């Protein structure tokens, strides 16, 4: 019986403390919303992204992982730069293939034996 009485008193004390904390929170009201932590744009806007930029990229954690908009922005930027680099590589490879073909054609033309005059 003493244990039951102790539990009832402890429960009453806890309920009273929670009630005072909620009701008597002061004049300030609820806590203001904190500004969401955003990723600092560490990807350089004035030059192509390098390996060190990607390795240094860190996203702030939120309740369920990472902020989707920050990750989407970074992946979009990286995808655009990779597509631009791929196009530049393709242009350079086609120019190189054209230059090699022209050089090979000149080499073949130069290697033709001169026609003999005495025949």
């Amino acid at each position: 019986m003493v244990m039951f009485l102790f539990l009832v008193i402890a429960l009453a004390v806890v309920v009273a403390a929670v009630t005072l904390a909620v009701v008597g929170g002061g004049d300030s009201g609820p806590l203001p919303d904190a500004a969401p932590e955003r990723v600092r744009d560490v990807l350089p806007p004035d030059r192509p992204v390098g390996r060190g930029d990607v390795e240094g990229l860190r996203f702030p954690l939120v309740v369920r992982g990472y902020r989707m908009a920050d990750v989407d922005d970074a992946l979009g930027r990286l995808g655009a730069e990779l597509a631009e680099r791929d196009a530049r590589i393709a242009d350079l490879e086609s120019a190189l293939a054209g230059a090699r073909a022209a050089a090979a054609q000149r080499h073949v033309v130069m290697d033709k034996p001169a026609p003999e005059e005495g025949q």
Side-chain angles (χ1 to χ4, degrees):
M1 181 68 157
V2 174
M3 184 65 137
F4 178 72
L5 185 60
F6 176 74
L7 287 175
V8 170
I9 292 173
L11 182 64
V13 168
V14 169
V15 169
V18 170
T19 303
L20 286 175
V22 170
V23 173
D27 295 333
S28 65
L31 292 175
D33 290 334
E37 184 180 357
R38 300 294 295 189
V39 66
R40 292 184 335 263
D41 191 15
V42 295
L43 298 178
D46 56 343
R47 64 176 173 79
V49 175
R51 180 178 178 163
D53 298 323
V54 175
E55 289 175 352
L57 186 62
R58 298 290 179 261
F59 297 104
L61 292 175
V62 293
V63 176
R64 293 176 41 199
Y66 297 108
R67 188 173 308 281
M68 210 180 303
D70 292 341
V71 175
D72 289 343
D73 290 344
L75 289 177
R77 169 84 187 273
L78 292 173
E81 288 205 15
L82 286 175
E84 182 179 326
R85 287 181 186 176
D86 289 344
R88 177 78 174 139
I89 289 170
D91 288 344
L92 292 173
E93 285 178 345
S94 66
L96 179 62
R100 283 183 178 164
Q105 187 177 18
R106 274 185 268 152
H107 181 47
V108 169
V109 170
M110 289 181 172
D111 286 346
K112 281 187 179 178
E116 293 184 22
E117 293 179 18
Q119 293 180 352

